[in-house]
Amino acid sequence: MVTAADPEETRTSVWLTARPAAPARRRSEAPSGLDRERITAATVRLLDAEGLGRFSMRRLAAELGVTAMSLYWYVDTKHDLLELALDRALGELALPAAPDPKPEALPESPPETGPEAGPGTGPAAWPGRLRVLACGYRKLLVAHPWVAPLTAAYPNIGPHARAFDAALQRLLDATGLSEARRTGAHLAVSYFLHGCGGVARRLPERDFRLALDVLIAGIGGVAGSAAKTA
């Protein structure tokens, strides 16, 4: 099983390694019907069905009806494949559009009419969009429990991970916080969301929403204080 407790192994992320194309003769010897996309999709399905602890290249090959060695035509290591699967899963997350550039104030008494209700739920408000992002991430972790440990084990710098980080940054840009405070808010939100893979993922929905309310109110409070002293 791959966990964050593998510090003794030095490796390069699949996203930082350019894989040279195989010579034409060798490509003709590759198994037909296989490609990286199909292998990655099968990896996600297998991880969902059996979990990270039981995953192996041999088990994946059996699922695809090929030999284990044939998979190495498309990936160099199991770690590379798990990184690809991690980013593919993150690609399922719907990212909110950029909010209005004008910072939005938080209402004093947030309504609680649904799982994504709460402070600043207006269509252009950053708090409402941050809530949608956080709740969507939590649902992703519930649907794919293996994502949380892989996020801790790998750099998580694939294209979908970077798009997620950029969407979060756009939301925080709309708060009106200074650059230094946006950095702090980014860290706070990131730690909160990654924590969803542990305790928060198993919290009752109401408790998760309460914790999210506190986080959003804290960011809004700092933004409001900064605006008053500006």
Side-chain angles (χ1 to χ4, degrees):
M1 177 177 177
V2 178
T3 70
D6 295 332
E8 70 281 356
E9 180 171 355
T10 301
R11 55 177 301 276
T12 302
S13 169
V14 67
W15 303 111
L16 299 176
T17 304
R19 198 168 195 265
R25 183 184 63 79
R26 293 191 62 200
R27 285 201 302 270
S28 68
E29 298 170 2
S32 62
L34 276 186
D35 55 38
R36 253 197 183 189
E37 189 68 18
R38 184 185 171 200
I39 293 170
T40 303
T43 299
V44 171
R45 291 194 302 271
L46 191 60
L47 287 168
D48 285 345
E50 300 187 356
L52 185 57
R54 295 188 61 191
F55 180 79
S56 69
M57 298 296 271
R58 188 177 300 277
R59 179 69 190 88
L60 176 62
E63 183 75 12
L64 289 166
V66 299
T67 65
M69 289 304 298
S70 66
L71 299 177
Y72 293 101
W73 283 91
Y74 306 95
V75 292
D76 290 332
T77 69
K78 181 176 78 170
H79 292 284
D80 288 353
L81 188 51
L82 289 174
E83 276 197 84
L84 293 169
L86 171 61
D87 199 68
R88 183 184 178 92
L90 292 175
E92 298 174 10
L93 186 60
L95 301 178
D100 275 351
K102 180 182 177 181
E104 297 284 341
L106 293 171
E108 293 183 2
S109 301
E112 294 189 2
T113 57
E116 293 177 357
T121 54
W126 68 262
R129 297 193 182 204
L130 179 54
R131 173 174 295 281
V132 170
L133 186 68
C135 290
Y137 191 81
R138 182 183 189 234
K139 290 175 182 176
L140 178 75
L141 294 179
V142 172
H144 305 295
W146 48 272
V147 164
L150 290 189
T151 298
Y154 295 125
N156 201 18
I157 54 175
H160 290 118
R162 295 198 306 271
F164 175 86
D165 194 66
L168 174 57
Q169 189 60 57
R170 288 194 298 270
L171 291 177
L172 295 175
D173 287 345
T175 62
L177 289 168
S178 66
E179 182 177 355
R181 285 174 172 169
R182 284 199 307 274
T183 299
H186 195 287
L187 283 173
V189 174
S190 296
Y191 280 126
F192 177 82
L193 293 180
H194 293 157
C196 292
V199 176
R201 183 169 59 86
R202 295 186 290 271
L203 286 175
E205 183 69 24
R206 185 176 181 85
D207 291 345
F208 174 81
R209 289 172 51 199
L210 177 59
L212 185 57
D213 282 347
V214 171
L215 176 66
I216 292 174
I219 295 172
V222 172
S225 298
K228 289 177 183 177
T229 58

